[in-house]
Amino acid sequence: MMIRYKLFLILMGLGYFAYAQTEPEYSQEYLEKSTSFAWLTLGGDLLTLTGGTTQQITNGELEATPFGPTVQPRLTIGGFHFWGHADFYVTFPVGAVPLHNLPDTHPGVSYRQGVETGARVYPWKVKPNSLRPFAGVSFRSISFRQNTPPNSFEFGGPNYAKMIAPLQVGLSYTTQKWSFTGSTYFQFQNEIDYFISPDQMATIGLDPFSFQIGVVRYMDIDRNARTPSGVKSLNDRYRLLEDKGKLSDWYIGIGPSAALQVSRSSFLQSQHPYLHDDYLSGIMADIAIGRYFYKPDMNIGLSYRGYSDVAEGFNTQVEIGRQSVMLEVYKFLFNYLGFVPFVGPTVSAEFLSTTVNGNTFSETKPAVGFIFGWDIRVAQSERSLLRTNLRWVPNLHMDVEGEAVMFDHLEFNFIQWVFFPGRAAAFRNR
């Protein structure tokens, strides 16, 4: 009896082992959760900045003058995450329409915002045919510029800019394909000191509230993977790549990125203080090529980014430029239902330039930094995926006339499309 019992256990074990070897690598349950973790969103909105009060010199005295709203149309790219409980997004302004009603004698102002990166949290998850409240916070630059009287200075008044982190509350209504939002922002930094001449400053008051209405198309691009045929296809492709040795593969990636200023430049503060409060940043393409290694779950690659910006005011113009070729090595930390964060070091060749009133200074130097971010990776058998990259090179700067011009920007590439050509070829040739 004991021998037969042991034999039964052995046969059961062998049967389980055989079953385990043929069990799909990705189960229906896993794909149900992982493919609904995030949805891509594309759309636009209108942001209304509600104005404020500026000052001008009239008969030798500072005179307060209110200015009205500015409306900015913006493009939006982002995604609902955590099964509809969070919305991460980036907006890119595509213009500005001032609604100021200033006297003809006033020199005029420009008040607007730059790229905004934000997060909204939904206590009740977003789903079709639902109205949901949300609260959030965002990071965006605001800029203010006041014109000078005609022919007074070559470049007019300087631009004042800084990063702010306004709070946001609002409502979203979601249909089967679209999500409509309306929200109110409240910003805390509402007074700025502004140079109205090279040696005289005035206080500008900004209204704390701004308003947004928008619409995005949300896309569940992985929904087919949740079907029975999708599960089977996903696992068949995985086994094919495993057999052909293509789970490790070369990749190429491209996506928009924003360079966000972290430090002010002592060169501007020392030599041109009326430009010190400008916010030098940039929008750029993030282009990458590299190799993914399946077993250690890591990437080694090269990226290229380049940006430039100009600060100008009164009779001074300063232009900065950066071109960066970066070697990146990073390890994926874990996979939480398709959300796969990574972190690692970078080494780069930095080509930096600063041009002051037509006189160009340049410097080429090596630099060490960090890269971190996350992939939206439902399975290892896909031709492509979406990646978010954040890069930072601490204390990156160049010397100009004995002072520092800073290039230690935080680079935020919200969505990069990553393509594996070897995997695509394996699927075509199977």
Side-chain angles (χ1 to χ4, degrees), residues 197-211:
S197 73
D199 55 6
Q200 185 172 7
M201 302 187 76
T203 299
I204 311 300
L206 304 175
D207 291 342
F209 292 100
S210 54
F211 304 94

Side-chain angles (χ1 to χ4, degrees), residues 6-22:
K6 289 182 179 179
L7 182 60
F8 174 75
L9 290 179
I10 291 171
L11 292 174
M12 286 290 291
L14 291 174
Y16 173 77
F17 180 79
Y19 173 78
Q21 292 301 302
T22 59

Side-chain angles (χ1 to χ4, degrees), residues 60-89:
E61 299 290 335
L62 286 177
E63 178 184 347
T65 305
F67 60 92
T70 298
V71 177
Q72 290 190 247
R74 308 185 297 178
L75 300 177
T76 303
I77 182 171
F80 290 122
H81 288 67
F82 297 100
W83 303 278
H85 283 288
D87 177 15
F88 301 126
Y89 64 90

Side-chain angles (χ1 to χ4, degrees), residues 171-214:
L171 292 171
S172 289
Y173 179 75
T174 305
T175 68
Q176 295 291 334
K177 296 181 179 180
W178 302 90
S179 182
F180 301 86
T181 61
S183 64
T184 299
Y185 297 90
F186 180 85
Q187 64 191 52
F188 297 93
Q189 305 101 324
N190 300 310
E191 282 193 353
I192 63 176
D193 293 324
Y194 180 78
F195 281 91
I196 57 175
S197 73
D199 55 6
Q200 185 172 7
M201 302 187 76
T203 299
I204 311 300
L206 304 175
D207 291 342
F209 292 100
S210 54
F211 304 94
Q212 172 266 354
I213 56 172

Side-chain angles (χ1 to χ4, degrees), residues 9 20 43 52 58 120 128 157 170 175 225 248 272 308 322 337 354-355 361:
L9 290 179
T58 303
R120 298 168 178 146
T175 68
S248 296
H272 309 285
S308 63
R322 176 189 175 196
L337 296 174
T354 301
T355 301
F361 305 83

